[in-house]
Amino acid sequence: MAPVKFDSSDAAVPIENGPAKACITSVLKGLEMIAPLVRSMEETPVPIPTEVHGTIPSWINGNLLRNGPGKFEFGNTHYNHWFDGMAMLHKFKIEEGQVTYMSRFLQSDAYKKNSERDRIVMSEFGTLAMPDPCKNFFQRFLSRFEMIEATDNASVSFVKYKGDYYVSTETNFMHRVNPENLETLEKVDWSKFIAVNGATAHPHVDPDGTTYNMGNSYGSKGALYNIIRVPPEKKESTDTLQGAKVLCSIVPADKAHPSYYHSFAMSENYVVFIEQPIKMDLLKIVTCKLRGKALSEGIYWDPKLQTVFHLVDKRTGEVSSVKYHTKAISVFHQINAHEEGGFLLLDMCCSDDGQAINNYLIQNLRKSGDALDEVYNTLCRAFPRRFVLPLNVTNETPLDQNLNTRPMSMATCVKIGKDKVFCQHEDLHGEDLQEYGGLEFPQINYSNYNTKPYRYFYGCGFRHLVGDSLLKMDLKDKSLKVWYQKGFYPSEPVFVPSPDAVEEDEGVILSVVLTPSQDKGTFLLVLDAKTFEELGRANVPVNMAYGFHGTFNACE
């Protein structure tokens, strides 16, 4: 079906080398410069009113909280990678059809130390901090033999544990924040509670409030992947992650080169870990300071390897002996996973190449003209796919035949050896999605349909290095609805269900839209989630940088 539009006008390949030409579905020219979306911004610590156009439903009562980089240099020192910018927290308070906006920099140790010295003194993912020039030569030389201190620049997302809000990244540090005034309250170290050296910024939550996450641990014998479970109960006012436990550990295929992962999937009964061919060279990472290289230099893509799905029973922590394999793919975000008729249906945004991280160097995002076009046209796009994993594989399960008996499903799963199933995906889209550059930042009606059969998901289309359209996919017929306006760049869509909703898509989509060609042209967009028609927008009289993830916090 045609999209419905609402327009108003074979060796390991280092991340830094090798364009993914095989992934190109179309070549674009004349991309708009987006450099204003990755420049340093001023915070707005006192709420300011916005100018509302159209109608924002009066039943929306709460805060849209957003996180992302907002400062890219200190003094004469500059960050190299988009992920490195200092965390800026945003709040859109929506009440009785009106909206106010405020923002504050996260008062992390990284931000405070860099600000005090007016230079970058703490290393980030793609930026290695240089030795203090005030130290003598011998002190500077010795500093290269020190381990890089893990950053607490929690710039990726807002997450919730035991009713409290935190901002997080992928290190072992989070910060508890006050969602009402964005005040930084407390620095929390995962390693003080459980034996992990970090955790993802994308936990999953069961209906009873139990939260699951993943984090690596590193020891003398190499790395482990750990499934983390945090109970919902909060026993004391000062309690944070108390009671968290490692549900189980999974041994990497190569302990010295574990896979990088940004998130994981969860169904009603299982946690699904995707071990992908984006690899971390631990020796390079440990010695990066000695070698004068950033942490990102230790990450590489190995297309010779297959991707492996590991299933873990959420209640017992037992890791399934059956491993589900597919070709080399890279995954940053899952859409949903649910169990149906003896199968686990795993829906994800997948790319056939794992070099995307390098495209988000600041220098690439600030290019223009042919140079910007070239960066985009070497990028492998992500598309939504479904994998069907049979749950009842035994010694009696026949070899070399498709085990997927689900009607109308194009996905295949074939047992090819003892405890080994090879899976081929089914596309969750039609040809029309290619026009919008694929789909990322997927979201669903999470509170009501996560781990359950569902019909709709939402995301950003990427005909640029950042999202430039909002998309709604209907799994029933793989049809597409699109919100697009030239020169406007929407953020991750957040679904908010309407009160007493009966149907899955009854509610609104909230997205912050940026306009690099206009000064102070930012607005909060509100779409009818069912029709994808614009209901209203709240114009914000300040500039913002393009951010990552957020959440809606409903007021009681």
Side-chain angles (χ1 to χ4, degrees):
M1 293 181 63
V4 180
K5 301 182 185 179
F6 294 97
D7 270 344
S8 68
S9 45
D10 276 283
V13 182
I15 292 274
E16 66 269 23
N17 295 323
K21 294 183 179 179
C23 299
I24 294 176
T25 55
S26 61
V27 176
L28 294 183
K29 294 184 178 181
L31 291 176
E32 179 184 18
M33 184 179 71
I34 57 170
L37 304 186
V38 285
R39 67 185 180 192
S40 295
M41 302 295 174
E42 298 293 327
E43 62 182 2
T44 307
V46 178
I48 58 174
T50 67
E51 184 179 350
V52 174
H53 296 268
T55 301
I56 296 178
S58 59
W59 58 261
I60 306 176
N61 183 24
N63 304 317
L64 175 64
L65 305 172
R66 294 273 302 156
N67 196 355
K71 186 173 179 60
F72 298 95
E73 68 280 316
F74 286 90
N76 295 322
T77 57
H78 302 261
Y79 288 116
N80 298 322
H81 201 283
W82 187 25
F83 298 173
D84 298 344
M86 293 290 97
M88 177 178 268
L89 314 182
H90 309 262
K91 187 186 85 166
F92 295 83
K93 183 176 182 179
I94 309 172
E95 186 176 29
E96 297 182 354
Q98 299 300 310
V99 179
T100 60
Y101 168 78
M102 68 174 298
S103 64
R104 299 179 75 168
F105 281 111
L106 177 68
Q107 296 300 303
S108 62
D109 289 346
Y111 179 81
K112 289 187 288 188
K113 289 178 180 179
N114 294 338
S115 297
E116 288 169 2
R117 302 189 186 182
D118 198 27
R119 68 179 185 88
I120 296 171
V121 299
M122 289 193 68
S123 297
E124 299 291 339
F125 173 74
T127 304
L128 180 68
M130 291 296 100
D132 188 345
C134 296
K135 292 182 178 180
N136 61 41
F137 173 81
F138 186 64
Q139 290 172 319
R140 294 199 302 272
F141 174 75
L142 288 180
S143 70
R144 290 189 174 274
F145 294 88
E146 300 170 355
M147 284 283 292
I148 286 184
E149 182 181 358
T151 183
D152 66 334
N153 176 38
S155 64
V156 177
S157 188
F158 271 88
V159 297
K160 197 173 183 180
Y161 293 99
K162 300 185 178 185
D164 288 331
Y165 283 88
Y166 298 81
V167 288
S168 62
T169 180
E170 295 179 341
T171 69
N172 54 307
F173 296 116
M174 300 189 300
H175 287 271
R176 188 164 65 91
V177 298
N178 183 333
E180 292 304 314
N181 60 14
L182 303 182
E183 180 185 0
T184 304
L185 299 176
E186 176 187 9
K187 180 179 175 180
V188 178
D189 183 350
W190 275 99
S191 66
K192 300 297 184 184
F193 298 90
I194 51 176
V196 295
N197 297 98
T200 81
H202 291 288
H204 278 291
V205 184
D206 267 344
D208 69 352
T210 301
T211 306
Y212 295 83
N213 208 332
M214 285 198 62
N216 282 4
S217 57
Y218 306 103
S220 59
K221 296 183 179 180
L224 291 173
Y225 310 122
N226 301 293
I227 310 298
I228 304 165
R229 182 166 61 195
V230 182
E233 300 85 6
K234 188 174 182 180
K235 298 179 180 179
E236 302 175 12
S237 60
T238 57
D239 181 50
T240 51
L241 299 176
Q242 198 69 41
K245 64 176 290 185
V246 172
L247 183 63
C248 73
S249 298
I250 300 171
V251 179
D254 183 343
K255 291 185 178 181
H257 296 79
S259 290
Y260 166 81
Y261 54 92
H262 182 72
S263 60
F264 63 99
M266 186 179 81
S267 67
E268 181 182 3
N269 295 297
Y270 297 95
V271 168
V272 186
F273 168 54
I274 300 97
E275 189 172 21
Q276 60 185 349
I278 302 178
K279 311 297 284 186
M280 299 187 293
D281 186 324
L282 295 186
L283 179 60
K284 285 188 175 181
I285 289 173
V286 169
T287 61
C288 62
K289 195 169 184 180
L290 177 64
R291 296 182 299 110
K293 301 290 186 179
L295 288 169
S296 58
E297 298 287 331
I299 299 180
Y300 65 97
W301 165 249
D302 190 345
K304 301 190 307 297
L305 300 176
Q306 292 184 346
T307 298
V308 182
F309 304 129
H310 301 266
L311 268 60
V312 178
D313 188 300
K314 288 163 56 177
R315 291 165 179 79
T316 67
E318 181 181 358
V319 183
S320 173
S321 61
V322 179
K323 304 302 177 187
Y324 304 86
H325 292 242
T326 191
K327 66 178 184 177
I329 58 172
S330 66
V331 179
F332 283 92
H333 302 107
Q334 287 75 43
I335 304 169
N336 199 3
H338 69 279
E339 299 156 43
E340 195 173 283
F343 297 93
L344 191 153
L345 280 57
L346 176 60
D347 299 347
M348 309 184 296
C349 293
C350 305
S351 171
D352 291 323
D353 186 273
Q355 303 181 89
I357 292 176
N358 187 64
N359 288 281
Y360 293 102
L361 295 171
I362 293 293
Q363 63 185 23
N364 285 340
L365 292 166
R366 290 176 176 172
K367 287 180 177 177
S368 61
D370 292 343
L372 180 60
D373 295 346
E374 182 180 358
V375 172
Y376 177 80
N377 288 317
T378 57
L379 177 68
C380 195
R381 272 66 118 186
F383 287 88
R385 297 172 178 173
R386 169 168 290 174
F387 293 86
V388 176
L389 313 184
L391 294 173
N392 302 312
V393 178
T394 67
N395 291 334
E396 286 69 43
T397 302
L399 294 170
D400 302 325
Q401 71 180 52
N402 183 16
L403 303 176
N404 182 13
T405 56
R406 301 181 67 256
M408 306 300 291
S409 174
M410 302 300 292
T412 63
C413 44
V414 178
K415 183 181 177 184
I416 60 174
K418 178 177 169 51
D419 293 335
K420 186 174 182 179
V421 176
F422 190 84
C423 302
Q424 292 182 305
H425 70 268
E426 170 188 1
D427 288 333
L428 294 182
H429 62 90
E431 290 296 320
D432 47 13
L433 182 57
Q434 295 197 14
E435 178 186 346
Y436 296 94
L439 183 148
E440 255 293 0
F441 291 155
Q443 291 288 314
I444 62 170
N445 182 342
Y446 190 95
S447 59
N448 296 311
Y449 288 88
N450 188 52
T451 76
K452 300 175 183 177
Y454 73 114
R455 178 174 172 179
Y456 304 104
F457 64 92
Y458 312 86
C460 286
F462 274 74
R463 284 179 300 188
H464 213 300
L465 292 178
V466 298
D468 75 333
S469 59
L470 292 170
L471 309 174
K472 176 186 180 181
M473 183 66 68
D474 185 342
L475 289 174
K476 184 176 182 180
D477 57 8
K478 298 181 181 179
S479 61
L480 189 65
K481 285 184 170 66
V482 180
W483 182 92
Y484 168 75
Q485 293 184 5
K486 183 176 175 57
F488 288 67
Y489 296 86
S491 68
E492 171 189 64
V494 174
F495 179 87
V496 182
S498 59
D500 304 317
V502 176
E503 297 186 22
E504 179 183 341
D505 59 347
E506 284 188 70
V508 298
I509 291 293
L510 304 178
S511 178
V512 180
V513 182
L514 309 182
T515 55
S517 60
Q518 301 178 31
D519 184 48
K520 300 178 182 178
T522 304
F523 59 91
L524 174 65
L525 174 68
V526 183
L527 298 180
D528 184 312
K530 183 176 288 291
T531 66
F532 238 47
E533 293 178 313
E534 181 174 332
L535 298 176
R537 62 177 65 179
N539 293 331
V540 184
V542 299
N543 291 313
M544 296 182 208
Y546 196 91
F548 297 137
H549 300 289
T551 188
F552 183 77
N553 168 29
C555 294
E556 299 296 334

